[in-house]
Amino acid sequence: MPADQQLAKSLKPRHLSMIAIAGVIGAGLFVGSGAAIQQAGPGILLAYMAAGVVVILVMRMLGEMAAANPETGSFSTYADKALGRWAGFSIGWLYAWFWIIVLGIEATAGAAIMHRWVPGIDQWIWALILMVLLTLTNLGSVKSYGEFEFWFASIKVAAIVLFLLFGAAAILGFVPGVPAPGLSNLIDNGGFLPNGPGAVLAGILVVVFSFFGAEIATIAAGESENPVDAVKKAVKSTVWRILVFYIGSIAIVVTLLPWNDASVAKSPYVAVIELFGIPGAGTIMDIVVLTSVLSCLNSGLYTASRMLFSLSKRGDAPAAWTRISPRGVPAAAVLASTVVGFVTVGLNYIAPDTVFLFLVNTSGAIALFVWLVIASSQLILRKRMGAAGKDLELKMWLFPYLTWLSIVSIVALLIGMVILESTRESLLLSVALAAVVVSVGVWRYRKSGTRPGGGDLRDRPTREPAVESTSAS
């Protein structure tokens, strides 16, 4: 690809830092956590910890591969090299599909908030406006995407930090009018595990998907000025982000309020803000949630377009999607993602309980598929790089033991989705979609080493940058 046809390298360290944070903090934390608390009680903290450990391990493995070879296609490219062309093709398309579906979900959620504020404008018009706005942002330049994400993430981080500070002060008895609860809400009302350990295990399946999105930083790193350092910082900071933002804020909710309080189920963060006596708690949370929705829309469109761009470069998507605008943006891939995104938004209004619900369910387990592919790829590529005697900028801890532990944990989560009735349909539909995509991938690459469109890849796994250190940069 000519030099003027490369993606722009204009994302700065502060952009990558906030993109990594935004990937972890979604609207699910502010709204969806209420259902998880109602399911498992204070023991939901154990579920968040367990899910957090899995995500931390997955990000460490992905970081090892990304630091050795920063790629816009991230784990899809690594699957190419480790598992075969069919694997990179399959997981790349499934991942792009996941984020395109997210566009429909988030645009509708954002439109619902805007419609509450300005009821004179129909909800579908607000959804259209939000989609157009974020499309223009992504078409402008990667820097504009980074700036929007930086400020979206900054608002979310500021909101959580204030929440943590006020919450800690209330627990210690420093907030006037709010008596220090001690441990009463953690051990009363049925105890720490009111619904038993089984509810905690089921809770893991609910909360684990809240963490999906942390991997976006490794995709965006390919468009940064110093991708190796950006990846290392993003991966290393995943640990404290999860501990502080998720586990810390959930701990404050279940310590300050009874887990079975109706207000906790509806919106735990609003309930805590109202406990502090702050007026307009609902409006404040609407603003924070809308920010999270816009952030997710922004990142979803960016991520889907970059994955489609990467697939196109490897011959797995229409060649037109590799076209780069004068601003260094894969405009065709952005527009392709947007078109399908608009269709999903339309389906959410035309047939929300049939077609759209079916599409959402087909993406339900893709996060676990992605994590399983990341762990499997790292297991193979690490051995390959070790055999070549290559130095690594970032290493997975206790390899291969923690890698195997991650694989076993992810498989256990998939089995759990089969057992749990509320997630069974979503898993089965996701598996059905994956089976179709994998079948297409295997059929395309049924002759080992042959790439559609030309090119012999039989030697590729051992000579591509995935097994070469880029530390010289």
Side-chain angles (χ1 to χ4, degrees):
M1 186 177 289
D4 61 346
Q5 288 295 298
Q6 298 290 334
L7 293 176
K9 306 285 185 180
S10 53
L11 289 177
K12 300 184 180 300
R14 66 183 178 88
H15 294 143
L16 266 295
S17 176
M18 283 301 182
I19 287 170
I21 292 173
V24 174
I25 307 172
L29 171 63
F30 301 110
V31 180
S33 55
I37 293 171
Q38 286 287 297
Q39 183 176 32
I44 196 64
L45 285 171
L46 299 178
Y48 272 100
M49 289 178 187
V53 167
V54 174
V55 175
I56 288 168
L57 294 178
V58 169
M59 282 300 295
R60 186 76 182 190
M61 289 183 281
L62 180 56
E64 177 184 286
M65 296 184 289
N69 182 25
E71 288 269 6
T72 299
S74 187
F75 51 83
S76 174
T77 307
Y78 310 141
D80 251 13
K81 299 173 173 68
L83 304 172
R85 297 287 290 119
W86 66 270
F89 169 91
S90 302
I91 204 63
W93 274 105
L94 288 173
Y95 187 71
W97 173 248
F98 174 89
W99 284 108
I100 287 172
I101 291 298
V102 165
L103 295 180
I105 297 171
E106 299 295 337
T108 304
I113 295 174
M114 296 301 297
H115 183 64
R116 283 203 298 271
W117 293 348
V118 188
I121 299 178
D122 290 342
Q123 190 169 320
W124 71 268
I125 295 178
W126 280 120
L128 180 66
I129 291 172
L130 294 179
M131 284 288 291
V132 170
L133 172 65
L134 274 302
T135 298
L136 293 176
T137 298
N138 276 267
L139 285 174
S141 69
V142 69
K143 187 175 181 180
S144 63
Y145 155 74
E147 284 295 331
F148 267 77
E149 202 59 22
F150 175 83
W151 291 109
F152 287 153
S154 296
I155 292 171
K156 291 191 287 187
V157 169
I160 290 186
V161 168
L162 288 173
F163 183 85
L164 291 171
L165 292 175
F166 271 99
I171 290 172
L172 295 173
F174 296 152
V175 176
V178 181
L183 299 178
S184 60
N185 290 322
L186 296 176
I187 60 178
D188 293 344
N189 304 306
F192 189 71
L193 301 175
N195 298 322
V200 175
L201 295 176
I204 295 176
L205 291 173
V206 175
V207 305
V208 72
F209 299 102
S210 300
F211 294 114
F212 198 51
E215 73 289 335
I216 294 175
T218 65
I219 295 174
E223 295 176 76
S224 66
E225 298 168 339
N226 193 335
V228 175
D229 285 346
V231 165
K232 288 164 62 179
K233 290 178 181 178
V235 170
K236 289 180 178 179
S237 63
T238 298
V239 177
W240 68 261
R241 288 199 305 269
I242 289 176
L243 290 175
V244 174
F245 295 138
Y246 269 90
I247 299 174
S249 59
I250 295 297
I252 284 174
V253 172
V254 296
T255 302
L256 287 176
L257 296 169
W259 67 271
N260 52 359
D261 190 302
S263 62
V264 172
K266 183 179 180 181
S267 180
Y269 289 81
V270 170
V272 172
I273 295 173
E274 289 177 340
L275 180 68
F276 297 153
I278 298 175
T283 301
I284 292 172
M285 192 48 56
D286 269 352
I287 293 172
V288 174
V289 171
L290 179 61
T291 301
S292 295
V293 165
L294 294 176
S295 172
C296 196
L297 266 175
N298 196 35
S299 289
L301 185 53
Y302 170 84
T303 308
S305 66
R306 272 19 177 216
M307 187 57 73
L308 292 181
F309 171 77
S310 176
L311 288 166
S312 181
K313 282 184 64 179
R314 287 175 276 152
D316 291 335
W321 294 354
T322 60
R323 293 174 184 168
I324 306 292
S325 74
R327 292 176 174 266
V329 172
V334 171
L335 291 174
S337 303
T338 302
V339 168
V340 182
F342 277 125
V343 171
T344 60
V345 171
L347 289 172
N348 200 4
Y349 288 104
I350 297 171
D353 298 323
T354 53
V355 180
F356 184 73
L357 182 60
F358 172 81
L359 296 179
V360 170
N361 282 333
T362 63
S363 67
I366 288 178
L368 294 179
F369 298 160
V370 168
W371 291 346
L372 189 59
V373 166
I374 290 172
S376 302
S377 299
Q378 189 268 340
L379 185 66
I380 295 170
L381 292 180
R382 173 65 175 274
K383 291 179 179 178
R384 204 175 280 167
M385 288 186 282
K390 301 298 182 182
D391 293 328
L392 295 174
E393 289 277 344
L394 192 69
K395 289 185 177 182
M396 176 60 180
W397 306 296
L398 297 176
F399 178 83
Y401 307 109
L402 287 183
T403 297
W404 277 113
L405 176 62
S406 302
I407 291 173
V408 171
S409 299
I410 296 166
V411 171
L413 288 170
L414 289 169
I415 294 173
M417 288 190 71
V418 175
I419 297 173
L420 196 65
E421 186 176 354
S422 60
T423 57
R424 188 180 303 143
E425 180 182 3
S426 181
L427 173 67
L428 294 178
L429 287 175
S430 297
V431 169
L433 174 64
V436 172
V437 177
V438 169
S439 296
V440 173
V442 170
W443 180 82
R444 281 172 62 85
Y445 298 103
R446 60 195 180 280
K447 293 182 180 179
S448 178
T450 303
R451 173 176 180 167
D456 189 344
L457 298 179
R458 282 173 291 189
D459 297 328
R460 181 173 181 175
T462 57
R463 71 171 189 237
E464 281 289 301
V467 295
E468 298 177 4
S469 173
T470 57
S471 58
S473 63

